[in-house]
Amino acid sequence: MRIKTGIDVKMFLESVRKCAGNVYFRTLEGDQLNLKSLLSQYILVSIISNKELMENGVVDCSEESDRILLAQFLD
């Protein structure tokens, strides 16, 4: 699932912290950021400002319940 444009990034990251399992941002190049990591969250914030990078990345959750929690931020 892709991150929607124009989301409230702070609210998105707060929701990620509430997730039971891991939440990953994966790129077509094979890069993988675990969004539970503060360092990865900082990197994601810089990626969000680049439309091309955002279009080439997807969010994947290890727990189905986490997908429901993040649904409002994802396409």
Side-chain angles (χ1 to χ4, degrees):
M1 297 175 284
R2 297 198 191 288
I3 298 175
K4 293 179 181 177
T5 57
I7 65 165
D8 183 330
V9 178
K10 182 179 177 184
M11 286 181 57
F12 173 68
L13 294 176
E14 286 174 2
S15 295
V16 167
R17 283 189 279 270
K18 294 177 186 176
C19 290
N22 289 316
V23 179
Y24 297 99
F25 181 81
R26 296 189 172 129
T27 66
L28 294 177
E29 293 82 20
D31 299 317
Q32 178 174 289
L33 299 173
N34 184 337
L35 297 181
K36 293 285 208 142
S37 158
L38 189 57
L39 178 59
S40 293
Q41 290 176 6
Y42 283 121
I43 295 168
L44 180 72
V45 169
S46 67
I47 290 172
I48 285 177
S49 64
N50 185 321
K51 185 179 177 182
E52 183 179 327
L53 291 175
M54 284 302 297
E55 290 175 350
N56 291 326
V58 294
V59 172
D60 186 28
C61 302
S62 62
E63 301 288 330
E64 185 63 34
S65 60
D66 295 338
R67 288 187 175 109
I68 296 167
L69 182 64
L70 299 176
Q72 64 181 324
F73 303 104
L74 305 174
D75 282 330

